[in-house]
Amino acid sequence: MEKKSLIFLIPFLLALCVSLLTMPPSNTITYDGALYIDIARNLAEDITDFTYQGIYMMYRPPLYPYTLSIPYRSIHEPYLQLTVARTVSMLFFALTAALTYLLTVEMFGNPLKGIVASLFYIFNPLAFTMATRELVHSEFTFFYTLAVYLFYTGRKRGAPYRIYLSFVSAGLAILTRYTGLSILGVFIAYLWLTDHWGWVKKREYWVGFILLGLTLAPWLYMGHLHYGGPFRPFNVASRVVTLDRPVSVSDYLHLLREDVGLLLPALAVLGFIRLKKDDEGWLLVSWLFVGLMGILTVTHKETRFITFLSPAIGILATEGVWLTGDIITAVSERTGRRIGTSRTALVVLILALILTVPIAARATGLKETWNKFGRYESEVVGYAATTYGGEKILVSPGMYTVTGFYYPHTVVDMLLDRKSVRDKISQGYYDTIILKEPTDHLNIEESGNYNLAVEFYDGKFKIYIKKEN
């Protein structure tokens, strides 16, 4: 193997190193992340048990919990399971960094561009932050990018098997996050822009769609068995998102500016200007705009939802830096002081490294912000689990999944104003009750079954313990 072929290991190892050095503390568990771990525990015991508290959670995409369930067969301690979940994200983040390098070199034939693009990917604030979280985004970004890479290289090299594999990877992306359905739009838009309707007559694409269907088939069958229909997981997921807090496009762009900053998007815009109307240009246009529209059209939007576009943004930002090289070359030719190609490349590389510094600083800041998410809830529930234990727990809704993380294989109910909950409180059914103010205390005090054991953070959190008989 030639040494040149091992260059992709540089971004891979760099991504691993920066992830290991910036691992979040163990007491910052997100609501979604705790739910994935809770589901994965059940899957480790029964591969069809995609539930939490006995309720099927198939509106959540399955691949990340199934991935976690493999090591969870032998790892049972909660904090070790959390470490495994974050390590899985870290590995997929590093793999995507290497894949960004390989795709960039395949597109432009320039290893230096590949290194710069992978740097912009690694230190993209969203990708950098999600790299060590117990969430789906790193795995989703990998399979989405892999699908694009295989599709592009399959067409470029005339290798149908790569196109087949791209559809399989697209299916895995969809099973990692349902918004991965946009990958089909990316494929079709790219084919239409480069081949109009000629692709319809080619066998490899129809075989690819069949393979996509086969990849999704097990999950569709699970939906038929346990969720009322093969496509119901997608329908319920769409309904859940619609019911969440709506975010307008303008507000979303403002949130993106706060999290990502202006420098990286500005470089990507410059890169867009440099694109040509060729296969590479149309690929990036399809990837970025179809993927972005798939997010902007959703009612509830969070900045982390576009993490999967980080490789495309990194490649475009690299083209933006190279536009500077074009300007330097043009100016030098006009002034009669022609700068050599190697010197121009050196200037561009130095400029890229300088620009990476503020981008990395923004990424570090966003990760520190995320390191505060869920900290209070995690500390309170962790304290309750260690100090008081219990087999039946009642908690405020925002702590529902985190409680499941700290109390494996216990009954966890949400504090809702329902007759069934009030009856259980009056009967002393729950061992521990954890409240986050402000909330309705229902009949906790009136029942006479519980003592206020401890308060946290100036009374914001309260733990009640069942009285001993």
Side-chain angles (χ1 to χ4, degrees):
M1 184 179 291
E2 297 178 6
K3 289 184 178 179
K4 184 170 64 173
S5 65
L6 296 176
I7 297 176
F8 74 91
L9 290 176
I10 296 174
F12 177 81
L13 293 173
L14 176 62
L16 281 182
C17 289
V18 297
S19 298
L20 285 170
L21 291 172
T22 57
M23 272 286 185
S26 59
N27 62 345
T28 58
I29 306 169
T30 59
Y31 184 97
D32 288 349
L35 179 57
Y36 291 129
I37 294 173
D38 295 336
I39 295 170
R41 286 172 177 162
N42 293 331
L43 293 173
E45 298 178 2
D46 179 354
I47 62 171
T48 66
D49 189 13
F50 200 85
T51 66
Y52 175 56
Q53 296 299 315
I55 301 170
Y56 275 93
M57 294 285 172
M58 295 178 68
Y59 71 93
R60 295 281 179 170
L63 193 58
Y64 185 61
Y66 271 105
T67 303
L68 298 183
S69 71
I70 297 171
Y72 285 5
R73 292 175 184 271
S74 56
I75 297 174
H76 307 289
E77 199 279 324
Y79 285 112
L80 285 179
Q81 290 180 331
L82 177 62
T83 301
V84 167
R86 291 174 172 176
T87 302
V88 166
S89 291
M90 179 183 70
L91 290 173
F92 279 110
F93 172 66
L95 287 170
T96 308
L99 194 56
T100 302
Y101 167 83
L102 293 172
L103 177 57
T104 307
V105 173
E106 190 75 34
M107 293 173 71
F108 303 109
N110 189 334
L112 188 58
K113 277 189 179 183
I115 290 295
V116 173
S118 61
L119 279 176
F120 284 144
Y121 164 73
I122 291 169
F123 293 107
N124 180 303
L126 297 174
F128 183 76
T129 301
M130 293 299 107
T132 50
R133 302 305 313 196
E134 59 287 358
L135 294 168
V136 303
H137 301 286
S138 290
E139 187 175 30
F140 175 50
T141 303
F142 171 75
F143 283 115
Y144 203 102
T145 308
L146 181 62
V148 172
Y149 171 76
L150 290 170
F151 197 78
Y152 170 74
T153 55
R155 280 175 49 82
K156 181 179 179 181
R157 301 180 188 182
Y161 78 91
R162 283 180 171 258
I163 294 176
Y164 302 154
L165 291 174
S166 73
F167 279 91
V168 174
S169 184
L172 294 175
I174 294 168
L175 293 176
T176 311
R177 185 165 169 76
Y178 292 146
T179 50
L181 286 165
S182 66
I183 190 66
L184 301 180
V186 173
F187 284 178
I188 293 173
Y190 173 55
L191 287 171
W192 186 83
L193 289 168
T194 56
D195 199 20
H196 295 289
W197 296 112
W199 65 273
V200 177
K201 303 174 183 178
K202 297 177 181 178
R203 174 175 173 270
E204 55 264 34
Y205 301 114
W206 295 109
V207 173
F209 279 112
I210 293 172
L211 290 172
L212 172 69
L214 292 174
T215 304
L216 298 177
W219 189 241
L220 298 179
Y221 181 67
M222 282 273 289
H224 170 70
L225 286 180
H226 302 293
Y227 228 52
F231 298 104
R232 187 162 172 75
F234 301 94
N235 295 334
V236 174
S238 176
R239 195 181 311 150
V240 169
V241 170
T242 303
L243 292 174
D244 213 329
R245 181 176 61 89
V247 178
S248 68
V249 173
S250 60
D251 288 343
Y252 186 62
L253 294 176
H254 175 72
L255 292 172
L256 282 175
R257 184 180 63 81
E258 289 184 342
D259 284 357
V260 180
L262 293 174
L263 179 56
L264 193 57
L267 289 173
V269 170
L270 290 177
F272 180 78
I273 295 172
R274 194 174 189 269
L275 291 180
K276 299 176 182 178
K277 294 181 179 180
D278 54 12
D279 274 25
E280 291 72 31
W282 291 132
L283 177 67
L284 288 170
V285 167
S286 303
W287 187 359
L288 188 65
F289 283 95
V290 174
L292 185 60
M293 289 305 297
I295 299 301
L296 293 181
T297 53
V298 175
T299 303
H300 176 70
K301 296 176 278 291
E302 297 179 33
T303 55
R304 61 189 171 104
F305 291 176
I306 69 161
T307 303
F308 72 101
L309 296 176
S310 299
I313 294 170
I315 295 172
L316 277 174
T318 301
E319 285 293 278
V321 174
W322 252 254
L323 181 62
T324 305
D326 295 342
I327 295 171
I328 293 172
T329 302
V331 170
S332 66
E333 288 178 351
R334 287 187 179 182
T335 57
R337 298 179 179 179
R338 184 174 179 82
I339 300 177
T341 304
S342 59
R343 186 173 295 182
T344 301
L346 179 61
V347 171
V348 169
L349 177 60
I350 293 173
L351 176 62
L353 293 174
I354 292 173
L355 292 172
T356 301
V357 174
I359 294 172
R362 172 77 66 165
T364 303
L366 182 61
K367 177 165 277 194
E368 288 300 318
T369 299
W370 267 79
N371 285 347
K372 299 174 184 176
F373 291 173
R375 182 168 66 88
Y376 293 161
E377 290 82 356
S378 297
E379 290 179 352
V380 171
V381 177
Y383 175 85
T386 303
T387 307
Y388 305 112
E391 296 180 355
K392 302 178 184 68
I393 316 298
L394 180 67
V395 297
S396 295
M399 296 182 285
Y400 180 56
T401 64
V402 174
T403 303
F405 170 79
Y406 283 103
Y407 286 88
H409 307 296
T410 59
V411 175
V412 181
D413 286 342
M414 281 192 279
L415 183 75
L416 300 174
D417 192 0
R418 294 176 178 171
K419 183 178 183 301
S420 59
V421 176
R422 288 180 175 272
D423 288 346
K424 288 179 179 179
I425 292 173
S426 64
Q427 296 164 9
Y429 173 81
Y430 300 107
D431 300 312
T432 305
I433 300 176
I434 309 172
L435 304 183
K436 180 180 179 180
E437 299 288 4
T439 188
D440 188 344
H441 287 213
L442 302 184
N443 57 331
I444 295 173
E445 287 87 358
E446 292 87 341
S447 71
N449 293 322
Y450 298 93
N451 288 324
L452 177 62
V454 66
E455 296 183 359
F456 288 86
Y457 305 113
D458 298 324
K460 187 175 182 179
F461 295 88
K462 296 176 180 178
I463 300 176
Y464 290 84
I465 302 301
K466 185 168 69 173
K467 293 180 180 178
E468 295 182 3
N469 294 328

